[in-house]
Amino acid sequence: MEQLIPTINKLQDVFNTVGREYIQLPQIVVTGTQSSGKSSVLESLVGRDFLPRGTGIVTRRPLILQLIHTDPDSEGGEVEYGKFLHLGDQRFTDFLEIRDEIQRETDRVSGTNKGISSEPISLKIFSPHVLNLTLVDTPGITKVPIGDQPADIEKQMRELVLSYTKNPNCLILAVSPANQDLATSEALKLAKYVDSQGNRTLCVCTKLDLMDRGTDAMDALMGRVVPVKLGIIGVVNRSQHDINSNKPIQTAIKDEMLFFQRKYPSLVGKCGTIYLARVLNKLLIHHIKECLPELKTRINVMIAQYQTVLATYGEPVDEKGPQLLQTITKFASTYCDTIEGTAKDIQTAELCGGARICYIFHETFGRTLSSVDPLEGLSTTDILTAIRNATGPRPALFVPEIAFELLVKRQIQRLQDPSVRCVELVYDELQRIIQHCGRHIRDLNRFVKLHDKIVEVVTALLRTRLQPTNQMVEHLISIELAYINTNHPDFIGGATVVSDWMQRETNQRRRNRQHVGEGKAGGEKDKDKKSLVKPDSAVTSSGFWLFGGRGGRKDDSAAVAESEAEEDKDYDAPMMKSSSVDTPVERGWSFVNHTDVPLAGAQDLTSKQKMEVELIEGLIKSYFQIVKKNIQDSVPKAVMHFLVNHVKQKIQSELVGALYKEAEFDVLLEESEQIAARRNEAAEMLAALRKASQVVSEVRDLQLY
């Protein structure tokens, strides 16, 4: 069982090289106010003078003190010596030199004017006269700043002590002078703060020989004043006069035993420095026994964690050519896999790569095309103006086909902006994939310059493909504008539009006459019947007569015109009367602007004009839907061929051609200082943990329970 304390001492040495906060080791933390006798207690346990002495605050840095018992019968076992962790294997057989080194190391870090520091000093003392113990001597708690101490010295002292005592694996040795009331002990107060149950607090009552005459510490030592679960042990240290006169500690321990026999005979077996050392040794061994299984588990878990951390930083590069080629290949394959959706790290929070491109094609672009109104920006006036301009100086007998082509091309041109915008969105997503791959490839985090160069090369490749892709998309629009195919199987044609218009007009007039003409004579009803039959017969006999006379007859058109004239005379008589216009000469106008061609308003359109407008609108809608389907299908194909697939095919060859140059290996594979420092830190910690695991395994055969 005595092997446990040396095991913890070895672990202490291992973790002191990388920082004690990683593993909370079992140890004894000595706390107390300034001049409470902490240093004297430690010197009594060691049996030698080795701690700095003086007035005011002397201990200004934590001292990790490892007492190691040596076999006096072994070779050199009777020699007492000390070793400092920061000095390696250098031995100090003169304990006054140990005191001087502690003072020098304290001044080096904390200054010479009473400054404090939380950085510990580690000291091992080998002696046949000590028991195996691991103690931490903390600076004495003070209230008022002196020298270079900050104004909040009390708060800093408190935080420094708590940083050690809050470790659940440590024992707290609270040192309190007997000539002060234990109920006001600052050391017990801090111990109570972190150990409310008192399971790991032991109190040492010093300066029993300095109590007032007629008083004793019996009630305090028996736990009647402040109960302490692990007990209260009284000790008598050397006085300042004894220290100044170099009184040996062994003599002081004998005088201490005589004092307890004389003043506290009933407690003589439970007080004194020798008893304190045995109790501390026993408590520490028992505490280590309880903490060791958890300590083993913690070390194994941290080994696995730091192996993972070290793997993320990679190994130092020896052969730079293969490393560069491997990184380039990995980036190119990851880039293509992200587009294809076969990457290992699939995003769950948002669409990425090929999925987002698909969304752009079928949701963003498709929804934008669906929202385009075929007749947006096209008014009735525009349609009638186009018809008149297409007929030249002659009055229009038929709807000219060139007017339809002119207007439908104008609407088709509006599909170019959404198509170009689709290319831009896909281009932006391909740019985002570069950053996505850079974050998920470990080596690119190490080699910052290589990462920047890869981004530059791939961005340049994308930029070179952007213009051809835009040109192809513009050509797709130009192709649709180059030839208006009115024989397309999905195109409804003029006959269907006219037939639908005639049917709607007939139904509308029938409804109007039911309200307006119910009181008219029977002859007028016959006229209505005649007007209802004439248009249908006109459409049936020449359904496509409106376009340039293709398949139509002049007589039929004249009949329709005559029929319309009769209907307008009966039904639209009031409107015709009110809309009759005098000539400019009759109105007395002296000037006519020949550049302005007046057009009738929507309410003044004749039946023929209404039919022409609705005919053109219907044809535009039909043909626009055909073109829109073509564009919605061909633009994604063009983007995939000219941009996405081309980049996938060329990305690796472009990267190799631009980056795989032996003269640039050192520059591209230069690690950032931060990454190198982190890898070294992780490697040191992993080595320490493996060594700690080996140390712990040395006691695996111990019977702990």
Side-chain angles (χ1 to χ4, degrees), residues 517-550:
E518 290 180 353
K520 291 186 177 182
E524 293 176 347
K525 293 181 180 180
D526 294 337
K527 189 191 300 181
D528 292 340
K529 292 179 180 179
K530 179 180 178 181
S531 66
L532 293 175
V533 174
K534 287 273 186 172
D536 291 339
S537 61
V539 172
T540 304
S541 60
S542 56
F544 219 17
W545 63 275
L546 288 168
F547 273 121
R550 281 190 296 176

mmCIF file of all heavy atoms in Angstrom, residues 517-550:
data_model
loop_
_atom_site.group_PDB
_atom_site.id
_atom_site.type_symbol
_atom_site.label_atom_id
_atom_site.label_comp_id
_atom_site.label_asym_id
_atom_site.label_seq_id
_atom_site.Cartn_x
_atom_site.Cartn_y
_atom_site.Cartn_z
ATOM 1 N N GLY A 517 -83.211 43.550 -74.401
ATOM 2 C CA GLY A 517 -84.128 43.443 -75.540
ATOM 3 C C GLY A 517 -85.321 42.559 -75.339
ATOM 4 O O GLY A 517 -85.829 41.994 -76.303
ATOM 5 N N GLU A 518 -85.802 42.362 -74.090
ATOM 6 C CA GLU A 518 -86.926 41.460 -73.884
ATOM 7 C C GLU A 518 -88.228 42.034 -74.452
ATOM 8 O O GLU A 518 -89.137 41.312 -74.805
ATOM 9 C CB GLU A 518 -87.087 41.193 -72.381
ATOM 10 C CG GLU A 518 -85.965 40.343 -71.808
ATOM 11 C CD GLU A 518 -86.147 40.100 -70.313
ATOM 12 O OE1 GLU A 518 -87.069 40.706 -69.738
ATOM 13 O OE2 GLU A 518 -85.357 39.316 -69.747
ATOM 14 N N GLY A 519 -88.310 43.400 -74.550
ATOM 15 C CA GLY A 519 -89.561 44.014 -75.032
ATOM 16 C C GLY A 519 -89.584 44.306 -76.502
ATOM 17 O O GLY A 519 -90.517 44.962 -76.974
ATOM 18 N N LYS A 520 -88.568 43.933 -77.248
ATOM 19 C CA LYS A 520 -88.516 44.259 -78.678
ATOM 20 C C LYS A 520 -89.450 43.357 -79.497
ATOM 21 O O LYS A 520 -89.856 42.296 -79.033
ATOM 22 C CB LYS A 520 -87.083 44.136 -79.187
ATOM 23 C CG LYS A 520 -86.162 45.213 -78.617
ATOM 24 C CD LYS A 520 -84.790 45.153 -79.255
ATOM 25 C CE LYS A 520 -83.915 46.270 -78.719
ATOM 26 N NZ LYS A 520 -82.588 46.256 -79.351
ATOM 27 N N ALA A 521 -89.715 43.747 -80.703
ATOM 28 C CA ALA A 521 -90.642 43.016 -81.585
ATOM 29 C C ALA A 521 -90.025 41.726 -82.083
ATOM 30 O O ALA A 521 -88.833 41.509 -81.965
ATOM 31 C CB ALA A 521 -91.023 43.906 -82.794
ATOM 32 N N GLY A 522 -90.944 40.886 -82.616
ATOM 33 C CA GLY A 522 -90.483 39.600 -83.106
ATOM 34 C C GLY A 522 -89.494 39.716 -84.236
ATOM 35 O O GLY A 522 -88.610 38.891 -84.389
ATOM 36 N N GLY A 523 -89.654 40.798 -85.060
ATOM 37 C CA GLY A 523 -88.709 40.993 -86.156
ATOM 38 C C GLY A 523 -87.299 41.236 -85.663
ATOM 39 O O GLY A 523 -86.326 40.808 -86.265
ATOM 40 N N GLU A 524 -87.237 41.963 -84.542
ATOM 41 C CA GLU A 524 -85.915 42.217 -83.978
ATOM 42 C C GLU A 524 -85.290 40.934 -83.457
ATOM 43 O O GLU A 524 -84.092 40.739 -83.502
ATOM 44 C CB GLU A 524 -86.031 43.242 -82.848
ATOM 45 C CG GLU A 524 -86.440 44.620 -83.351
ATOM 46 C CD GLU A 524 -86.629 45.585 -82.197
ATOM 47 O OE1 GLU A 524 -86.687 45.094 -81.055
ATOM 48 O OE2 GLU A 524 -86.701 46.790 -82.440
ATOM 49 N N LYS A 525 -86.145 40.007 -82.956
ATOM 50 C CA LYS A 525 -85.618 38.724 -82.494
ATOM 51 C C LYS A 525 -85.047 37.928 -83.644
ATOM 52 O O LYS A 525 -84.035 37.242 -83.516
ATOM 53 C CB LYS A 525 -86.706 37.921 -81.794
ATOM 54 C CG LYS A 525 -87.170 38.533 -80.482
ATOM 55 C CD LYS A 525 -88.217 37.684 -79.816
ATOM 56 C CE LYS A 525 -88.684 38.287 -78.496
ATOM 57 N NZ LYS A 525 -89.715 37.466 -77.842
ATOM 58 N N ASP A 526 -85.738 38.028 -84.841
ATOM 59 C CA ASP A 526 -85.189 37.328 -86.000
ATOM 60 C C ASP A 526 -83.830 37.898 -86.386
ATOM 61 O O ASP A 526 -82.912 37.174 -86.763
ATOM 62 C CB ASP A 526 -86.158 37.442 -87.184
ATOM 63 C CG ASP A 526 -87.463 36.702 -86.897
ATOM 64 O OD1 ASP A 526 -87.418 35.787 -86.031
ATOM 65 O OD2 ASP A 526 -88.481 37.037 -87.523
ATOM 66 N N LYS A 527 -83.729 39.235 -86.232
ATOM 67 C CA LYS A 527 -82.431 39.862 -86.540
ATOM 68 C C LYS A 527 -81.353 39.381 -85.578
ATOM 69 O O LYS A 527 -80.209 39.168 -85.956
ATOM 70 C CB LYS A 527 -82.581 41.374 -86.441
ATOM 71 C CG LYS A 527 -81.358 42.126 -86.947
ATOM 72 C CD LYS A 527 -81.427 43.601 -86.591
ATOM 73 C CE LYS A 527 -82.656 44.235 -87.195
ATOM 74 N NZ LYS A 527 -82.732 45.676 -86.886
ATOM 75 N N ASP A 528 -81.744 39.193 -84.329
ATOM 76 C CA ASP A 528 -80.779 38.686 -83.350
ATOM 77 C C ASP A 528 -80.325 37.281 -83.720
ATOM 78 O O ASP A 528 -79.152 36.941 -83.607
ATOM 79 C CB ASP A 528 -81.394 38.665 -81.943
ATOM 80 C CG ASP A 528 -81.647 40.077 -81.433
ATOM 81 O OD1 ASP A 528 -81.013 41.010 -81.979
ATOM 82 O OD2 ASP A 528 -82.455 40.228 -80.499
ATOM 83 N N LYS A 529 -81.304 36.468 -84.138
ATOM 84 C CA LYS A 529 -80.935 35.107 -84.525
ATOM 85 C C LYS A 529 -79.969 35.115 -85.696
ATOM 86 O O LYS A 529 -79.038 34.340 -85.761
ATOM 87 C CB LYS A 529 -82.180 34.305 -84.889
ATOM 88 C CG LYS A 529 -83.090 34.034 -83.697
ATOM 89 C CD LYS A 529 -84.322 33.260 -84.116
ATOM 90 C CE LYS A 529 -85.249 32.990 -82.915
ATOM 91 N NZ LYS A 529 -86.462 32.251 -83.312
ATOM 92 N N LYS A 530 -80.245 36.038 -86.623
ATOM 93 C CA LYS A 530 -79.363 36.142 -87.778
ATOM 94 C C LYS A 530 -77.953 36.517 -87.356
ATOM 95 O O LYS A 530 -76.975 35.957 -87.845
ATOM 96 C CB LYS A 530 -79.928 37.183 -88.734
ATOM 97 C CG LYS A 530 -79.074 37.386 -89.981
ATOM 98 C CD LYS A 530 -79.716 38.445 -90.862
ATOM 99 C CE LYS A 530 -78.858 38.691 -92.086
ATOM 100 N NZ LYS A 530 -79.434 39.752 -92.962
ATOM 101 N N SER A 531 -77.878 37.458 -86.406
ATOM 102 C CA SER A 531 -76.548 37.888 -85.941
ATOM 103 C C SER A 531 -75.840 36.797 -85.162
ATOM 104 O O SER A 531 -74.622 36.769 -85.106
ATOM 105 C CB SER A 531 -76.677 39.149 -85.074
ATOM 106 O OG SER A 531 -77.375 38.839 -83.877
ATOM 107 N N LEU A 532 -76.601 35.901 -84.540
ATOM 108 C CA LEU A 532 -75.981 34.827 -83.779
ATOM 109 C C LEU A 532 -75.439 33.740 -84.682
ATOM 110 O O LEU A 532 -74.524 33.027 -84.329
ATOM 111 C CB LEU A 532 -76.980 34.228 -82.786
ATOM 112 C CG LEU A 532 -77.426 35.137 -81.646
ATOM 113 C CD1 LEU A 532 -78.506 34.446 -80.813
ATOM 114 C CD2 LEU A 532 -76.247 35.504 -80.776
ATOM 115 N N VAL A 533 -76.048 33.587 -85.878
ATOM 116 C CA VAL A 533 -75.624 32.509 -86.765
ATOM 117 C C VAL A 533 -74.471 32.932 -87.652
ATOM 118 O O VAL A 533 -73.563 32.172 -87.918
ATOM 119 C CB VAL A 533 -76.819 32.023 -87.617
ATOM 120 C CG1 VAL A 533 -76.366 30.998 -88.651
ATOM 121 C CG2 VAL A 533 -77.903 31.472 -86.723
ATOM 122 N N LYS A 534 -74.414 34.160 -88.051
ATOM 123 C CA LYS A 534 -73.428 34.623 -89.023
ATOM 124 C C LYS A 534 -71.979 34.421 -88.583
ATOM 125 O O LYS A 534 -71.177 33.888 -89.330
ATOM 126 C CB LYS A 534 -73.686 36.101 -89.341
ATOM 127 C CG LYS A 534 -74.906 36.334 -90.181
ATOM 128 C CD LYS A 534 -74.596 36.231 -91.639
ATOM 129 C CE LYS A 534 -75.810 36.606 -92.500
ATOM 130 N NZ LYS A 534 -75.434 36.687 -93.906
ATOM 131 N N PRO A 535 -71.593 34.867 -87.386
ATOM 132 C CA PRO A 535 -70.176 34.706 -87.015
ATOM 133 C C PRO A 535 -69.724 33.266 -87.004
ATOM 134 O O PRO A 535 -68.618 32.965 -87.413
ATOM 135 C CB PRO A 535 -70.118 35.337 -85.621
ATOM 136 C CG PRO A 535 -71.278 36.285 -85.578
ATOM 137 C CD PRO A 535 -72.343 35.623 -86.385
ATOM 138 N N ASP A 536 -70.554 32.343 -86.488
ATOM 139 C CA ASP A 536 -70.156 30.940 -86.440
ATOM 140 C C ASP A 536 -69.893 30.396 -87.833
ATOM 141 O O ASP A 536 -68.953 29.642 -88.062
ATOM 142 C CB ASP A 536 -71.226 30.109 -85.742
ATOM 143 C CG ASP A 536 -71.294 30.440 -84.255
ATOM 144 O OD1 ASP A 536 -70.285 30.969 -83.750
ATOM 145 O OD2 ASP A 536 -72.335 30.168 -83.634
ATOM 146 N N SER A 537 -70.784 30.796 -88.746
ATOM 147 C CA SER A 537 -70.578 30.301 -90.105
ATOM 148 C C SER A 537 -69.310 30.870 -90.704
ATOM 149 O O SER A 537 -68.621 30.198 -91.458
ATOM 150 C CB SER A 537 -71.792 30.670 -90.981
ATOM 151 O OG SER A 537 -71.923 32.097 -91.031
ATOM 152 N N ALA A 538 -68.998 32.109 -90.307
ATOM 153 C CA ALA A 538 -67.763 32.712 -90.823
ATOM 154 C C ALA A 538 -66.543 31.971 -90.314
ATOM 155 O O ALA A 538 -65.593 31.734 -91.044
ATOM 156 C CB ALA A 538 -67.699 34.188 -90.441
ATOM 157 N N VAL A 539 -66.559 31.601 -89.038
ATOM 158 C CA VAL A 539 -65.421 30.897 -88.473
ATOM 159 C C VAL A 539 -65.298 29.515 -89.079
ATOM 160 O O VAL A 539 -64.218 29.020 -89.378
ATOM 161 C CB VAL A 539 -65.570 30.820 -86.940
ATOM 162 C CG1 VAL A 539 -64.484 29.927 -86.371
ATOM 163 C CG2 VAL A 539 -65.504 32.201 -86.342
ATOM 164 N N THR A 540 -66.438 28.868 -89.278
ATOM 165 C CA THR A 540 -66.409 27.500 -89.798
ATOM 166 C C THR A 540 -65.883 27.469 -91.227
ATOM 167 O O THR A 540 -65.103 26.597 -91.596
ATOM 168 C CB THR A 540 -67.823 26.895 -89.743
ATOM 169 O OG1 THR A 540 -68.288 26.973 -88.415
ATOM 170 C CG2 THR A 540 -67.811 25.451 -90.205
ATOM 171 N N SER A 541 -66.314 28.450 -92.000
ATOM 172 C CA SER A 541 -65.912 28.422 -93.397
ATOM 173 C C SER A 541 -64.458 28.824 -93.596
ATOM 174 O O SER A 541 -63.811 28.330 -94.502
ATOM 175 C CB SER A 541 -66.822 29.360 -94.219
ATOM 176 O OG SER A 541 -66.689 30.692 -93.708
ATOM 177 N N SER A 542 -63.964 29.700 -92.751
ATOM 178 C CA SER A 542 -62.563 30.129 -92.911
ATOM 179 C C SER A 542 -61.994 30.445 -91.536
ATOM 180 O O SER A 542 -61.990 31.589 -91.111
ATOM 181 C CB SER A 542 -62.468 31.338 -93.834
ATOM 182 O OG SER A 542 -63.276 32.391 -93.351
ATOM 183 N N GLY A 543 -61.581 29.406 -90.825
ATOM 184 C CA GLY A 543 -61.125 29.578 -89.447
ATOM 185 C C GLY A 543 -59.835 30.360 -89.338
ATOM 186 O O GLY A 543 -59.553 30.937 -88.307
ATOM 187 N N PHE A 544 -59.014 30.442 -90.376
ATOM 188 C CA PHE A 544 -57.722 31.106 -90.245
ATOM 189 C C PHE A 544 -57.642 32.318 -91.173
ATOM 190 O O PHE A 544 -56.585 32.712 -91.624
ATOM 191 C CB PHE A 544 -56.627 30.109 -90.618
ATOM 192 C CG PHE A 544 -55.411 30.217 -89.736
ATOM 193 C CD1 PHE A 544 -55.476 30.878 -88.513
ATOM 194 C CD2 PHE A 544 -54.214 29.643 -90.138
ATOM 195 C CE1 PHE A 544 -54.370 30.965 -87.713
ATOM 196 C CE2 PHE A 544 -53.104 29.732 -89.330
ATOM 197 C CZ PHE A 544 -53.186 30.392 -88.115
ATOM 198 N N TRP A 545 -58.833 32.894 -91.422
ATOM 199 C CA TRP A 545 -58.874 34.009 -92.374
ATOM 200 C C TRP A 545 -58.208 35.263 -91.822
ATOM 201 O O TRP A 545 -57.858 36.161 -92.570
ATOM 202 C CB TRP A 545 -60.336 34.324 -92.743
ATOM 203 C CG TRP A 545 -61.173 34.780 -91.567
ATOM 204 C CD1 TRP A 545 -61.812 34.002 -90.683
ATOM 205 C CD2 TRP A 545 -61.412 36.132 -91.168
ATOM 206 N NE1 TRP A 545 -62.457 34.738 -89.741
ATOM 207 C CE2 TRP A 545 -62.224 36.072 -90.015
ATOM 208 C CE3 TRP A 545 -61.021 37.389 -91.667
ATOM 209 C CZ2 TRP A 545 -62.657 37.206 -89.352
ATOM 210 C CZ3 TRP A 545 -61.472 38.502 -91.009
ATOM 211 C CH2 TRP A 545 -62.279 38.426 -89.848
ATOM 212 N N LEU A 546 -58.000 35.305 -90.507
ATOM 213 C CA LEU A 546 -57.483 36.537 -89.914
ATOM 214 C C LEU A 546 -56.026 36.778 -90.253
ATOM 215 O O LEU A 546 -55.545 37.914 -90.220
ATOM 216 C CB LEU A 546 -57.650 36.480 -88.387
ATOM 217 C CG LEU A 546 -59.101 36.621 -87.912
ATOM 218 C CD1 LEU A 546 -59.197 36.255 -86.453
ATOM 219 C CD2 LEU A 546 -59.606 38.026 -88.152
ATOM 220 N N PHE A 547 -55.243 35.716 -90.507
ATOM 221 C CA PHE A 547 -53.810 35.869 -90.757
ATOM 222 C C PHE A 547 -53.529 35.944 -92.248
ATOM 223 O O PHE A 547 -53.493 34.920 -92.930
ATOM 224 C CB PHE A 547 -53.027 34.699 -90.160
ATOM 225 C CG PHE A 547 -52.664 34.926 -88.736
ATOM 226 C CD1 PHE A 547 -53.096 34.060 -87.759
ATOM 227 C CD2 PHE A 547 -51.902 36.030 -88.363
ATOM 228 C CE1 PHE A 547 -52.777 34.272 -86.450
ATOM 229 C CE2 PHE A 547 -51.581 36.241 -87.054
ATOM 230 C CZ PHE A 547 -52.014 35.365 -86.090
ATOM 231 N N GLY A 548 -53.398 37.156 -92.763
ATOM 232 C CA GLY A 548 -52.902 37.391 -94.128
ATOM 233 C C GLY A 548 -53.691 36.705 -95.210
ATOM 234 O O GLY A 548 -53.184 36.476 -96.287
ATOM 235 N N GLY A 549 -54.945 36.287 -94.947
ATOM 236 C CA GLY A 549 -55.784 35.669 -95.947
ATOM 237 C C GLY A 549 -55.483 34.231 -96.189
ATOM 238 O O GLY A 549 -55.944 33.667 -97.164
ATOM 239 N N ARG A 550 -54.701 33.564 -95.349
ATOM 240 C CA ARG A 550 -54.385 32.142 -95.576
ATOM 241 C C ARG A 550 -55.632 31.302 -95.379
ATOM 242 O O ARG A 550 -56.170 31.238 -94.281
ATOM 243 C CB ARG A 550 -53.287 31.672 -94.623
ATOM 244 C CG ARG A 550 -51.905 32.094 -95.064
ATOM 245 C CD ARG A 550 -50.846 31.421 -94.238
ATOM 246 N NE ARG A 550 -50.934 31.848 -92.846
ATOM 247 C CZ ARG A 550 -50.181 31.361 -91.870
ATOM 248 N NH1 ARG A 550 -49.299 30.417 -92.132
ATOM 249 N NH2 ARG A 550 -50.294 31.809 -90.637
#
